Amino acid sequence: INNIENFVFGVVTFGGTYQLSINNLNDFMNYFSTNQIDPFSEGDLILHDFGYGLYVNPSNIFSQNEIGLLNFIESNNLGISLFKGDLSNFNNWNKIGKNNQGTNIENLNCN
């Protein structure tokens, strides 16, 4: 990674297209150093080894897994943000988060 401020990691699923970006490098690095793994190494990063599977499950519906992923990010203080793409043209990306009750996904202001 040459420029952490412009780095994104994309994922395409049947439920949507997502990008993760690092918004707090210290929190991001702290999570991985605590778990003794280098997130920038060429080795495989298997998040289920770090409790990811407690939040995201293939048998869930897409919205449950979106909430689960956001809960995983928040609970582990990962220092990353989640964006969801517009499937019609991939030109529009919205930062997503949970509503106050934590039961639904909502678009957040990206500014």
Side-chain angles (χ1 to χ4, degrees):
I1 299 172
N2 294 327
N3 185 341
I4 201 74
E5 287 81 23
N6 294 322
F7 175 77
V8 294
F9 177 80
V11 177
V12 178
T13 72
F14 288 111
T17 301
Y18 303 91
Q19 290 184 350
L20 296 166
S21 70
I22 299 170
N23 61 34
N24 186 314
L25 184 57
N26 289 332
D27 288 345
F28 182 79
M29 294 303 295
N30 185 54
Y31 173 78
F32 290 100
S33 66
T34 300
N35 290 293
Q36 299 179 346
I37 190 167
D38 180 0
F40 302 114
S41 73
E42 293 184 23
D44 291 337
L45 176 62
I46 303 173
L47 289 176
H48 67 80
D49 290 342
F50 301 105
Y52 175 79
L54 299 173
Y55 297 90
V56 176
N57 186 311
S59 64
N60 290 346
I61 61 173
F62 300 121
S63 60
Q64 288 173 312
N65 280 333
E66 286 178 341
I67 290 170
L69 180 55
L70 288 165
N71 286 335
F72 176 73
I73 290 167
E74 182 181 292
S75 295
N76 290 288
N77 198 28
L78 288 180
I80 58 177
S81 298
L82 180 62
F83 297 84
K84 187 171 184 177
D86 180 347
L87 291 176
S88 64
N89 60 22
F90 300 108
N91 289 329
N92 297 317
W93 294 89
N94 291 301
K95 184 176 180 181
I96 60 173
K98 300 176 295 182
N99 64 356
N100 289 337
Q101 296 78 25
T103 56
N104 289 310
I105 295 295
E106 59 183 25
N107 291 335
L108 304 174
N109 184 351
C110 292
N111 294 333

